[in-house]
Amino acid sequence: MTRINILSPLLADMIAAGEVVERPASVIKELMENAFDAGAKKVKVEFRNGGSTYIRVTDDGCGMSPEDAGVAFMRHATSKLSDEHGLEAIGTMGFRGEALAAISAVSRIELITREKGAEEGTRLVIEAGDIREMLPCGCPEGTSITVRDIFYNTPARLKFLKSDRAEASACLNAALRCALGRPEVSVRCLRDGEEEFFTPGDGRSESAVYSLLGREIANTLLPCKGSSPEGIGVQGFVSSPATSRGNRSMQHFTCNGRYIKSALLQAAVEQAYKNTLLTGRFPACVLYITLSCAAVDVNVHPTKNEVKFSDERSVFDGVYHAALGALENETPLPARTREVSAPKFVHDAPKGEQLRFSAQAHTSAAASAPRADFYRQMDAQTFRSEVQSGSLKLDGKGSSLSV
Ligand code: ADP
Ligand code: MG
């Protein structure tokens, strides 16, 4: 055996970055989550060349003081958790204080931030974890983080990046998922200077679904709503059985605003379609699950894409009943099965997982709203111009950032 070395903090961060920053899309997710945690109402996401040369996320959130900006990139630096008790009920997207440290260890970063109410902002340049420049600057309230040349100092990781096209599609999916989870935040996403999507941030999940998944998908969805005595809220949309799909790529779940993957939730939804869909056909859904932060552990996965529910049975039942209620209230559609296509989301459904959960079919107590005409009334262009002209309700506060 050779002698044991204690790794330098930079090397430790570069290794840790492997877990958090798998590819440019991971940076987009982490920066958007930070913007949400900062209370942003408007978030702008830009990336170029699949995110490999340039990613910028700008928000109108609380911003950072110069002192906080200086420590934000240190490992285990977080404003969201102060002691071990906090770990039991995490209500923010982040809490580990490792994303900025990890990203800065493998890229060149420029941070521009101004705390709400502060006279001036701070500009910080960081390269491979080192602060190169830190100066006061004039800037709008909020934060803008630019990440350039990801993995420039870790050639082995750089080699594993796929084509710009594939990375761009992963970046777009990451941004879409984050935006889908937060209908109350207006998100604008630009890829190589071209706008990919815009959500109005009016707090209505149908607006987010329409903007992100497109009218064709949105038109096939039925409103779905339910709540359980255990405090589990389910809201969103499930597809009509007449528009089933050949895979699960159109099943979207969020838990307390966090986009998650969950075999449990997939199984709960699919159970509601047991008697209406053929084997090998899958429903589409966009479901927003809300429950007490103490009833869900978000600290079970390195990228927090999966969560652990403390009472899986209740969550399963809540989702199952809500989906069943939506189907029972459905106005019958033509029996012909129709394939619907996803305009933006790229297929990455988990393959062949064993669904281990089941539920007894019984009449739903879940309340279901009548089918909304929302999507049918306008095309994408009209929707867009209505939002921009303000006739569709937007968060009217405005922002000092040009998001
Ligand atoms: P975490 O999100 O787990 O706390 P991060 O490394 O992502 O860790 O961020 C470190 C800290 O930097 C956050 O806790 C927060 O205080 C601050 N921060 C990061 N991004 C922003 C932002 N967009 N606006 C305001 N503060 C931010
Ligand atoms: Mg974070």
Side-chain angles (χ1 to χ4, degrees), residues 67-332:
E67 300 75 40
D68 277 354
V71 293
F73 292 85
M74 289 167 67
R75 195 124 180 245
H76 310 305
T78 180
S79 55
K80 302 166 196 173
L81 194 60
S82 51
D83 58 33
E84 64 275 20
H85 306 298
L87 252 192
E88 279 156 33
I90 291 162
T92 48
M93 298 286 103
F95 54 90
R96 295 184 187 139
E98 58 185 16
L100 291 187
I103 297 165
S104 69
V106 294
S107 66
R108 302 181 221 270
I109 290 194
E110 181 187 17
L111 163 76
I112 295 175
T113 186
R114 177 152 74 97
E115 204 174 17
K116 282 234 151 80
E119 297 225 319
E120 60 183 9
T122 310
R123 178 172 176 271
L124 205 73
V125 176
I126 301 190
E127 251 176 58
D130 270 346
I131 297 185
R132 296 286 159 94
E133 204 180 304
M134 184 168 176
L135 288 170
C137 73
C139 61
E141 288 178 341
T143 301
S144 155
I145 300 189
T146 311
V147 177
R148 290 192 173 87
D149 305 330
I150 186 168
F151 301 141
Y152 79 98
N153 57 348
T154 50
R157 311 284 323 269
L158 196 60
K159 218 170 53 192
F160 280 101
L161 284 189
K162 299 202 176 113
S163 66
D164 279 4
R165 203 185 142 92
E167 294 300 335
S169 135
C171 285
L172 185 57
N173 272 352
L176 279 159
R177 287 174 176 158
C178 286
L180 196 62
R182 294 299 182 119
E184 74 282 12
V185 181
S186 173
V187 180
R188 184 184 299 280
C189 178
L190 289 96
R191 160 193 184 158
D192 298 312
E194 300 275 317
E195 183 173 298
E196 280 288 344
F197 70 79
F198 164 78
T199 64
D202 58 5
R204 291 155 50 125
S205 50
E206 57 266 44
S207 305
V209 169
Y210 185 96
S211 311
L212 297 167
L213 307 188
R215 185 169 57 147
E216 201 188 334
I217 300 283
N219 277 342
T220 68
L221 298 176
L222 312 167
C224 169
K225 199 168 166 57
S227 58
S228 76
E230 293 85 9
I232 295 150
V234 181
Q235 187 266 319
F237 306 90
V238 294
S239 58
S240 141
T243 54
S244 65
R245 303 176 59 83
N247 59 54
R248 296 191 171 96
S249 63
M250 263 303 142
Q251 296 185 357
H252 303 291
F253 301 98
T254 75
C255 172
N256 292 345
R258 183 190 303 281
Y259 189 97
I260 56 165
K261 280 188 191 161
S262 168
L264 175 82
L265 300 181
Q266 287 176 345
V269 171
E270 287 171 19
Q271 185 70 22
Y273 289 79
K274 201 164 167 263
N275 299 322
T276 45
L277 287 189
L278 294 170
T279 312
R281 303 301 303 174
F282 300 94
C285 65
V286 181
L287 290 178
Y288 297 86
I289 318 294
T290 45
L291 73 177
S292 143
C293 296
V296 52
D297 187 355
V298 293
N299 195 22
V300 293
H301 191 266
T303 56
K304 306 178 222 110
N305 281 335
E306 287 166 32
V307 298
K308 175 100 181 73
F309 297 108
S310 62
D311 184 354
E312 294 190 330
R313 182 84 235 172
S314 302
V315 174
F316 182 99
D317 286 348
V319 171
Y320 166 71
H321 288 307
L324 199 62
L327 295 181
E328 284 172 358
N329 282 343
E330 185 198 8
T331 355

Side-chain angles (χ1 to χ4, degrees), residues 30 34 37 80 94 99:
E30 295 296 338
N34 279 347
D37 282 345
K80 302 166 196 173

